[in-house]
Amino acid sequence: WRHRTLLKAVLRASDVGFWRWYSTPLRGGAPGMDEILARVVPPLPTYETRDKSPPPPESSSLEFMQFYKSIYKEDKLRFLNKLSQDFGVDHRGVSELALKLLDTQLRDLATILQAEDRLRYSLTPRYKQLFNHISKAEGGVKFLVDLRADVLEIISSKASETPDIRDLSGTLKSLLCEWFSVGLLRLERITWQSPCEILQKISQYEAVHPMRNWADLKRRVGPYRRCYAFTHAAMPGEPLVVLHVALTEDISNNIQSIVREFATLHAEEDVNKINAAIFYSITSTQPGLQGVELGNYLIKRVVRELQSEFPHMAQFSSLSPIPGFCTWLQGLLGQYRKDGRHPDILSEQEWKEVGQATDSAPGTAATEALRKLIGTGEWMHSERLSRVLEPALMRLCAWYLYGEKRRGYALNPVANFHLQNGATMWRINWLADTSPRGVANSCGIMVNYRYFLNDTSKNSVLYLQNKVVTASEQVLGLVSQFQKNSKL
């Protein structure tokens, strides 16, 4: 027996069929799928007995969890497809109840409300009952978070495009939104005295500015720094979303001064030098919680914490990366080349200087040279090229953040996140992240999203309802310069 936990579940199982199932190989898994699902997914109680039906035994939840963990990735896809298709909503029953609801429209209100309630109950997928029971088992909530991560991966990779899989993801998301509501989350400040396991996970999960060693981690939770995380009682020792904050005199315009500042490691904090809080990294650690609002609540809670610790503090701002900018720019230049047009995103003088700096002829050659420069980041090593490209790249970046949309909202996901929170697109910073990653993603440019606390609610409403981006004069000026040069 390779799977000892499965053996324990076997010993608890009274159904002889379980022994018969486990005697089949786990590889392929198919012979056991129908049988185990039929056994562990409880039927939806009738409407009349919905509050009186006894819960299934805990062993059913454990059996489902152990089986799923033991099978291979390709079998998980088949298993989830079968779960979502065969144990979802009873569509025929829903249709019948919908017709009955139409027939009651001329009846009294009490009859109509009861018909609506019956219809609402019939729309509950059968597997939702199973998920609710699994959440009560030890480790059950974490299992369901990971299960949804698998479902999201299936959807994004288009391994399965059935609507049932998307409905399964939506059901899980709805449950997770309830279980991870802000009132059930605990805010923890992470320090060097925090448990080693938590510190290690903070380091491993960091996705924005990866940590190089333990000294780097110690600095990021030390003086002039704050690290906060949301945790949940059902997932002890597991940070759900992590926010790193730098305490500075002014709003930082580059990340080097924050993540490479060794002088703060053993310094004593001087309150007189702390006027601003810079949110320079926020990381969601659980892919399965995608779409569950956590990051925006974390920022708001941290602002309250910092205001309590530093009552005089009035400046709150992010220092954010711009993932996708270089990819967008490469695509834009590629489209010009495909159309056989000379890009008008640079002025004639700027194109001339690019040509001279790269020894390329005007026109297509200069466009291709610029594409290569953006792709390789080699321009960073030339002071002349850096000077030539700065005004053009700043204009292009401003337009990408402010003007490029997806369904009317900011195309850039980081911009969309902060704008939804009510922040102002405040300042775009040149050579703010000179790391290879920063240059490859955004030509080394970063942006401050400033949180003016008296305006965040208003800005959030304007953005979410009217798709209005609140931006500073600097950003709007760069956007205006771009529009003068380009026909976009």
Side-chain angles (χ1 to χ4, degrees):
W1 297 93
R2 292 185 300 123
H3 303 273
R4 295 184 180 180
T5 49
L6 269 175
L7 177 57
K8 293 178 181 177
V10 170
L11 295 175
R12 284 195 299 266
S14 59
D15 193 322
V16 177
F18 183 71
W19 284 94
R20 188 167 57 252
W21 162 74
Y22 196 72
S23 66
T24 63
L26 288 178
R27 181 69 177 178
M33 285 186 183
D34 289 322
E35 185 178 345
I36 194 170
L37 285 173
R39 185 165 58 254
V40 304
V41 183
L44 192 69
T46 64
Y47 180 77
E48 288 74 17
T49 64
R50 64 193 184 282
D51 297 325
K52 302 174 183 177
S53 297
E58 185 181 359
S59 59
S60 295
S61 298
L62 296 174
E63 189 177 340
F64 180 91
M65 293 163 65
Q66 297 296 351
F67 177 83
Y68 185 80
K69 290 176 182 179
S70 70
I71 58 180
Y72 289 85
K73 185 175 182 179
E74 58 268 27
D75 291 328
K76 288 181 178 179
L77 169 60
R78 296 165 56 203
F79 187 70
L80 291 172
N81 270 328
K82 187 174 290 291
L83 176 68
S84 62
Q85 292 169 11
D86 299 347
F87 298 87
V89 171
D90 176 7
H91 300 296
R92 178 179 293 181
V94 168
S95 299
E96 292 173 356
L97 286 170
L99 291 174
K100 289 182 180 179
L101 175 61
L102 289 174
D103 292 339
T104 64
Q105 294 307 297
L106 298 179
R107 303 278 299 276
D108 59 284
L109 180 59
T111 303
I112 294 174
L113 289 175
Q114 187 181 56
E116 288 176 346
D117 195 45
R118 282 180 176 272
L119 178 59
R120 188 181 302 113
Y121 179 71
S122 71
L123 288 167
T124 304
R126 183 174 164 185
Y127 52 70
K128 185 176 180 181
Q129 298 286 99
L130 173 67
F131 294 158
N132 274 317
H133 294 308
I134 288 175
S135 71
K136 297 177 177 65
E138 185 177 353
V141 172
K142 171 62 173 169
F143 171 83
L144 292 173
V145 170
D146 293 339
L147 180 71
R148 182 165 184 259
D150 290 345
V151 174
L152 290 173
E153 184 181 353
I154 289 170
I155 294 172
S156 64
S157 65
K158 298 186 178 179
S160 173
E161 299 188 54
T162 66
D164 302 285
I165 281 287
R166 293 187 178 276
D167 196 49
L168 178 68
S169 176
T171 300
L172 278 168
K173 177 184 174 182
S174 177
L175 288 170
L176 293 171
C177 284
E178 292 179 16
W179 299 335
F180 289 87
S181 65
V182 65
L184 300 176
L185 300 175
R186 180 186 174 194
L187 180 67
E188 288 191 31
R189 180 183 167 189
I190 310 300
T191 69
W192 191 242
Q193 283 69 46
S194 297
C196 184
E197 181 185 9
I198 289 286
L199 288 168
Q200 187 171 5
K201 288 182 177 180
I202 294 294
S203 176
Q204 291 173 345
Y205 285 139
E206 175 57 29
V208 185
H209 305 290
M211 299 184 195
R212 291 162 288 183
N213 48 45
W214 281 98
D216 195 0
L217 172 60
K218 187 175 184 179
R219 184 169 61 257
R220 297 196 198 186
V221 297
Y224 294 103
R225 302 290 181 269
R226 295 292 185 272
C227 178
Y228 296 93
F230 267 151
T231 60
H232 193 282
M235 293 172 59
E238 191 69 56
L240 305 176
V241 58
V242 182
L243 178 66
H244 287 275
V245 186
L247 307 177
T248 60
E249 290 192 69
D250 300 301
I251 295 178
S252 304
N253 62 5
N254 72 89
I255 195 64
Q256 291 84 235
S257 63
I258 293 177
V259 300
R260 298 179 188 173
E261 180 53 70
F262 288 91
T264 63
L265 191 56
H266 302 290
E268 290 289 333
E269 286 185 354
D270 183 350
V271 176
N272 297 318
K273 294 182 178 179
I274 298 176
N275 301 314
I278 311 300
F279 312 127
Y280 67 92
S281 173
I282 184 165
T283 301
S284 179
T285 68
Q286 308 294 319
L289 292 178
Q290 178 182 316
V292 180
E293 295 291 347
L294 295 176
N296 57 345
Y297 292 121
L298 179 57
I299 288 179
K300 292 172 183 176
R301 286 283 300 276
V302 167
V303 166
R304 292 203 297 269
E305 287 288 314
L306 293 173
Q307 283 182 315
S308 176
E309 186 177 1
F310 305 102
H312 65 284
M313 184 181 287
Q315 298 182 86
F316 298 91
S317 173
S318 78
L319 180 60
S320 300
I322 312 171
F325 171 55
C326 283
T327 302
W328 170 81
L329 182 53
Q330 291 274 32
L332 185 63
L333 291 168
Q335 188 61 46
Y336 274 105
R337 184 181 64 173
K338 182 179 178 181
D339 297 342
R341 294 185 293 138
H342 180 61
D344 53 8
I345 52 180
L346 272 66
S347 67
E348 288 300 322
Q349 180 59 34
E350 287 169 340
W351 277 120
K352 182 178 179 181
E353 292 183 9
V354 168
Q356 291 174 350
T358 58
D359 295 324
S360 55
T364 305
T367 304
E368 189 60 25
L370 181 58
R371 284 187 74 245
K372 288 182 178 178
L373 286 172
I374 300 300
T376 62
E378 292 180 2
W379 60 272
M380 279 283 296
H381 306 299
S382 167
E383 186 177 339
R384 179 185 180 188
L385 274 173
S386 181
R387 176 182 52 79
V388 168
L389 292 177
E390 177 181 356
L393 291 177
M394 288 286 280
R395 294 195 307 266
L396 285 159
C397 188
W399 175 257
Y400 168 71
L401 291 171
Y402 183 88
E404 288 295 315
K405 307 292 186 183
R406 182 175 182 269
R407 298 176 183 172
Y409 298 104
L411 175 66
N412 182 264
V414 179
N416 188 53
F417 170 78
H418 287 289
L419 292 171
Q420 285 188 46
N421 291 347
T424 296
M425 194 179 289
W426 188 64
R427 186 174 66 194
I428 299 174
N429 305 293
W430 178 246
L431 296 184
D433 184 358
T434 56
S435 69
R437 183 176 181 174
V439 174
N441 285 338
S442 59
C443 296
I445 303 173
M446 298 187 78
V447 56
N448 297 115
Y449 297 100
R450 181 118 179 234
Y451 285 80
F452 295 98
L453 302 183
N454 292 332
D455 298 330
T456 52
S457 296
K458 177 188 68 176
N459 292 346
S460 179
V461 170
L462 282 172
Y463 181 70
L464 291 172
Q465 295 185 358
N466 304 321
K467 302 173 182 177
V468 174
V469 175
T470 305
S472 67
E473 290 185 6
Q474 185 237 20
V475 174
L476 295 176
L478 288 169
V479 169
S480 178
Q481 292 174 31
F482 171 84
Q483 291 173 322
K484 289 178 182 177
N485 283 274
S486 173
K487 297 176 183 178
L488 284 177

